[in-house]
Amino acid sequence: MIVFDLKCAGQGHVFEAWFGASADYADQKARGLLTCPMCGDADVTKAVMAPAVGAKGNSRAERAPSAQAEPTAPVMNVADQAKMQALVEALGQAQAKALEGSTWVGRGFAEQARAMHYGEQDRASIHGEVAPAEAKALIAEGVEVAPLPFPVIPPQAKN
């Protein structure tokens, strides 16, 4: 995993985003899938990050402990981990139930939705990937689409 600090152009919100690889950022940016979680602005770029660079002779063992220790993230106890696992499983079941009878079409969603709308293809329940700008264009054309209330991954991928 790679972490980038991203910044929206509209209001200058800075937020963290995780990607499987550096190329994933470029791909998602090109497809218009990156938006600011605070204001929804799609004009998102990498924010300037300060690298953690060590100084010569300044190893961790040689440094004195800081009076202001960094706060540590809380550790999830076993009971909370079990609750979280149960929640993830329940969400997975809800997703499977909601998508029952729907076919995954991946990045071909917009093309197939238009074809159904214009009568070039039989109507069917489909789900897939579409950039926010393309979803707005579909809606403007009168194509019946609705965003799913949860993230959907390709059938071959695992959450």
Side-chain angles (χ1 to χ4, degrees):
M1 293 301 268
I2 187 166
V3 181
F4 290 133
D5 280 343
L6 302 180
K7 182 177 183 178
C8 73
Q11 297 187 26
H13 296 123
V14 176
F15 56 97
E16 188 175 270
W18 294 61
F19 299 92
S22 199
D24 293 345
Y25 164 80
D27 177 57
Q28 291 181 27
K29 171 82 173 147
R31 292 175 38 219
L33 297 176
L34 297 178
T35 58
C36 175
M38 274 80 67
C39 66
D41 187 359
D43 189 3
V44 174
T45 58
K46 289 182 188 176
V48 177
M49 296 173 60
V53 179
K56 184 177 178 183
N58 193 13
S59 71
R60 181 176 278 179
E62 294 171 343
R63 288 188 302 231
S66 171
Q68 296 178 346
E70 297 245 353
T72 58
V75 176
M76 195 180 296
N77 65 35
V78 175
D80 287 342
Q81 286 176 350
K83 287 178 189 175
M84 184 63 74
Q85 182 63 33
L87 178 62
V88 168
E89 288 174 12
L91 286 172
Q93 290 170 358
Q95 176 178 323
K97 181 72 176 163
L99 298 177
E100 228 172 47
S102 181
T103 304
W104 170 259
V105 295
R107 291 184 181 169
F109 178 84
E111 180 181 315
Q112 287 194 28
R114 277 192 181 94
M116 284 187 253
H117 177 72
Y118 293 112
E120 300 165 358
Q121 181 176 323
D122 289 340
R123 287 183 158 291
S125 180
I126 61 172
H127 63 282
E129 298 175 20
V130 64
E134 184 68 16
K136 288 178 184 176
L138 287 169
I139 292 167
E141 289 177 43
V143 178
E144 295 176 24
V145 296
L148 294 172
F150 44 80
V152 177
I153 59 170
Q156 69 275 14
K158 296 278 186 196
N159 274 340

